[in-house]
Amino acid sequence: MSSCYRSTFYLVRHAERLDQSEDTPLSEAGKKRGEDLALLLKDKKIDSVFVSKYQRTLQTAQPLLNELNQKAGVYETKPVTIVANRLKKLKGKNALMVGHNNNVIETAVALGAKPTLKSIEHTDFDNLLIVNIKRRLFWEKVSLVETTYGQKTLP
């Protein structure tokens, strides 16, 4: 593999929860958000999808996984360097990571991005961080797009 490549990583928090139990499934709004995510990313040449051990992350990614006929890789949420290093190894590939409000921003930082968003509120589900890594022989540039997707989360 050449030392020159471009990778794009899409980082999102899982969609809306049904309840506050530890391994809650998604609510109907969450299922709709997962479908919105699949619509947004289906043509982005996603090579890998990573989810945590909680069913809400897999359920958020499942519509895209179905569209791409892929299976998700499971990652440990802490420390974030574990999933960041897995993403960094995907040189020249694109990936989706579905995380939690306490690891999405931290993962972007571990990838070399500098988010302006300092935290994701417990009730906030629409953030999408897009980390682009462009590597050439003697330099690497990391850029970040902070946006939203799906139905706007109400304050």
Side-chain angles (χ1 to χ4, degrees), residues 30 49 63 78 136:
V49 175
K78 296 289 179 177
R136 294 291 178 251

mmCIF file of all heavy atoms in Angstrom, residues 30 49 63 78 136:
data_model
loop_
_atom_site.group_PDB
_atom_site.id
_atom_site.type_symbol
_atom_site.label_atom_id
_atom_site.label_comp_id
_atom_site.label_asym_id
_atom_site.label_seq_id
_atom_site.Cartn_x
_atom_site.Cartn_y
_atom_site.Cartn_z
ATOM 1 N N GLY A 30 -35.496 6.856 16.758
ATOM 2 C CA GLY A 30 -34.129 6.372 16.554
ATOM 3 C C GLY A 30 -34.007 5.493 15.319
ATOM 4 O O GLY A 30 -33.036 5.591 14.565
ATOM 5 N N VAL A 49 -17.747 -0.551 9.206
ATOM 6 C CA VAL A 49 -18.657 0.060 10.168
ATOM 7 C C VAL A 49 -18.303 -0.488 11.536
ATOM 8 O O VAL A 49 -18.186 -1.706 11.708
ATOM 9 C CB VAL A 49 -20.132 -0.248 9.833
ATOM 10 C CG1 VAL A 49 -21.064 0.300 10.906
ATOM 11 C CG2 VAL A 49 -20.498 0.312 8.452
ATOM 12 N N PRO A 63 -29.440 -0.161 9.148
ATOM 13 C CA PRO A 63 -29.927 0.146 7.789
ATOM 14 C C PRO A 63 -28.792 0.330 6.779
ATOM 15 O O PRO A 63 -28.895 -0.132 5.641
ATOM 16 C CB PRO A 63 -30.726 1.438 7.981
ATOM 17 C CG PRO A 63 -31.187 1.378 9.410
ATOM 18 C CD PRO A 63 -30.014 0.744 10.145
ATOM 19 N N LYS A 78 -13.746 2.609 25.542
ATOM 20 C CA LYS A 78 -12.671 3.285 26.278
ATOM 21 C C LYS A 78 -11.467 2.358 26.364
ATOM 22 O O LYS A 78 -11.634 1.168 26.572
ATOM 23 C CB LYS A 78 -13.125 3.672 27.691
ATOM 24 C CG LYS A 78 -14.260 4.680 27.719
ATOM 25 C CD LYS A 78 -13.806 6.055 27.298
ATOM 26 C CE LYS A 78 -14.977 7.029 27.327
ATOM 27 N NZ LYS A 78 -14.637 8.369 27.012
ATOM 28 N N ARG A 136 0.287 12.284 2.484
ATOM 29 C CA ARG A 136 1.267 12.260 1.400
ATOM 30 C C ARG A 136 2.584 11.790 1.995
ATOM 31 O O ARG A 136 2.694 11.591 3.205
ATOM 32 C CB ARG A 136 1.405 13.643 0.753
ATOM 33 C CG ARG A 136 0.156 14.093 0.031
ATOM 34 C CD ARG A 136 -0.068 13.240 -1.224
ATOM 35 N NE ARG A 136 -1.279 13.598 -1.921
ATOM 36 C CZ ARG A 136 -2.380 12.855 -1.964
ATOM 37 N NH1 ARG A 136 -2.440 11.715 -1.312
ATOM 38 N NH2 ARG A 136 -3.417 13.240 -2.658
#
